[in-house]
């Protein structure tokens, strides 16, 4: 008789626990604002505990954490699902939409992972790019004229002087910079921006020959570096922008 009563009390306690859990779930679903305020307040009061717990969990469940974070980023920032992203990668044959470098979904390396490219004016997703090509398009602000200017820039023979670093750099390089300004004007060779109002003047050089070339704005200079001075990548980027992506 005693064992039956104990079982009965355990059974009743389990039922109450289950009913309380179901009631709590329903209440939270019907009162999202209250839940959000309570969670914000609790996080503020126990911030160190939450950070420590999340860090420990992410270390043990790293792949799951990356998958969850990626899914959240795609849905909130670009409005696409993970399945859509995988389908786009399949259509691109697992490669960057510009330079055809192989890219992987959920890669541990930033340079080998996928980057969702979108039109900043319309917000529509255009395709998947590697890290360098995505950064390069952002630096030139999707400007086709700048891409055409960089193509012409790489084909131009500047007959540059050796690129030097150190304290004596300004004295040796300054006459060459003045010569470029006299010939091409005090503006970026690629996009045509004047070097004023916060537009920085950069003296570009060939990383293979270490010879100075011409004057570019910081955006075009860094973009050319991310395109690795490859004229084929620039032609591909131009076609990519003219088509509006790969989709």
């Amino acid at each position: 008789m005693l064992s039956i009563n104990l079982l009965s009390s355990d059974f009743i306690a389990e039922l109450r626990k289950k009913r309380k859990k179901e009631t709590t779930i329903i209440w939270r679903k019907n009162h999202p604002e209250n839940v959000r305020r309570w969670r914000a307040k609790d996080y503020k009061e126990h911030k160190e505990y939450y950070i420590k717990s999340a860090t420990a969990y992410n270390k043990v469940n790293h792949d799951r954490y990356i998958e969850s974070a990626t899914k959240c980023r795609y849905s909130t920032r670009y409005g696409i699902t993970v399945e859509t992203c995988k389908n786009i990668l399949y259509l691109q044959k697992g490669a960057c939409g510009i330079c055809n470098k192989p890219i992987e979904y959920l890669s541990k390396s930033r340079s080998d992972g996928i980057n969702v490219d979108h039109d900043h004016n319309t917000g529509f997703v255009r395709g998947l790019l590697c890290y360098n090509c995505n950064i390069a398009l952002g630096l030139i602000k999707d400007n086709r004229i700048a891409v055409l200017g960089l193509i012409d820039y790489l084909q131009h023979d500047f007959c540059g002087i050796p690129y030097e670093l150190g304290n004596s750099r300004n004295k040796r390089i300054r006459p060459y910079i003045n010569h470029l300004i006299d010939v091409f004007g005090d503006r970026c060779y690629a996009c045509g921006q004047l070097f004023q109002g916060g537009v920085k003047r950069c003296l570009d050089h060939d990383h293979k020959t270490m010879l100075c070339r011409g004057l570019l704005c910081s955006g075009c200079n860094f973009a050319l570096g991310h395109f690795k001075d490859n004229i084929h990548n620039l032609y591909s980027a131009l076609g990519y922008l003219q088509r509006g992506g790969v989709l």
Side-chain angles (χ1 to χ4, degrees):
M1 189 69 178
L2 181 62
S3 61
I4 294 175
N5 290 335
L6 287 173
L7 288 174
S8 300
S9 62
D10 290 342
F11 180 72
I12 292 172
E14 189 66 29
L15 279 178
R16 288 177 177 173
K17 185 178 180 181
K18 184 178 179 181
R19 181 176 294 178
K20 184 178 180 181
K21 184 177 180 180
E22 292 174 351
T23 305
T24 302
I25 292 173
I26 294 173
W27 186 89
R28 288 180 176 179
K29 187 176 181 180
N30 295 332
H31 303 82
E33 291 297 330
N34 293 354
V35 174
R36 193 176 294 110
R37 284 196 298 268
W38 177 84
R39 286 178 175 173
K41 181 181 178 182
D42 191 61
Y43 177 81
K44 188 175 181 180
E45 294 175 353
H46 308 90
K47 186 175 181 179
E48 293 183 0
Y49 168 78
Y50 277 104
I51 293 176
K52 187 176 180 180
S53 300
T55 303
Y57 175 84
N58 294 338
K59 285 183 179 179
V60 177
N61 305 276
H62 182 72
D63 293 339
R64 185 175 179 180
Y65 162 70
I66 295 297
E67 177 78 25
S68 177
T70 303
K71 182 178 179 180
C72 180
R73 185 173 72 253
Y74 290 164
S75 61
T76 56
R77 185 177 298 180
Y78 306 111
I80 62 174
T81 62
V82 173
E83 290 72 21
T84 302
C85 189
K86 290 181 178 179
N87 290 336
I88 298 173
L89 187 62
Y90 175 78
L91 292 174
Q92 295 183 198
K93 299 179 181 179
C96 170
I98 291 180
C99 67
N100 291 324
K101 175 186 176 181
I103 50 179
E104 301 175 2
Y105 177 73
L106 296 181
S107 173
K108 294 182 179 180
S109 173
R110 182 173 64 174
S111 60
D112 297 331
I114 62 175
N115 290 264
V116 180
D117 173 54
H118 69 289
D119 191 320
H120 291 269
N121 294 323
T122 63
F124 292 129
V125 174
R126 295 185 293 203
L128 301 179
L129 303 177
C130 67
Y131 173 78
N132 283 323
C133 289
N134 189 46
I135 291 294
L137 287 187
L139 287 168
I140 59 176
K141 301 178 181 179
D142 296 345
N143 190 344
R144 302 179 196 176
I145 296 176
V147 178
L148 286 170
L150 288 173
I151 291 173
D152 180 59
Y153 176 81
L154 289 179
Q155 294 174 330
H156 190 88
D157 184 12
F158 287 98
C159 300
I161 63 174
Y163 183 81
E164 298 179 11
L165 297 174
N167 296 329
S168 61
R169 176 178 180 271
N170 290 335
K171 294 181 180 179
R172 295 176 181 272
I173 297 296
R174 191 65 211 180
Y176 181 70
I177 293 178
N178 292 335
H179 167 72
L180 291 174
I181 293 175
D182 292 338
V183 175
F184 303 105
D186 195 16
R187 64 178 68 238
C188 174
Y189 184 97
C191 67
Q193 287 190 94
L194 293 173
F195 296 126
Q196 60 185 18
V199 180
K200 185 179 179 181
R201 182 193 298 116
C202 297
L203 178 60
D204 174 57
H205 70 283
D206 190 322
H207 291 266
K208 293 181 179 179
T209 63
M210 294 304 293
L211 294 177
C212 296
R213 291 188 291 202
L215 298 177
L216 297 175
C217 66
S218 57
C220 290
N221 187 39
F222 286 122
L224 190 60
H226 282 287
F227 280 132
K228 302 184 184 303
D229 289 356
N230 191 325
I231 196 169
H232 298 292
N233 288 345
L234 288 168
Y235 274 116
S236 182
L238 181 63
Y240 178 86
L241 291 174
Q242 289 175 339
R243 293 192 304 271
V246 296
L247 302 182

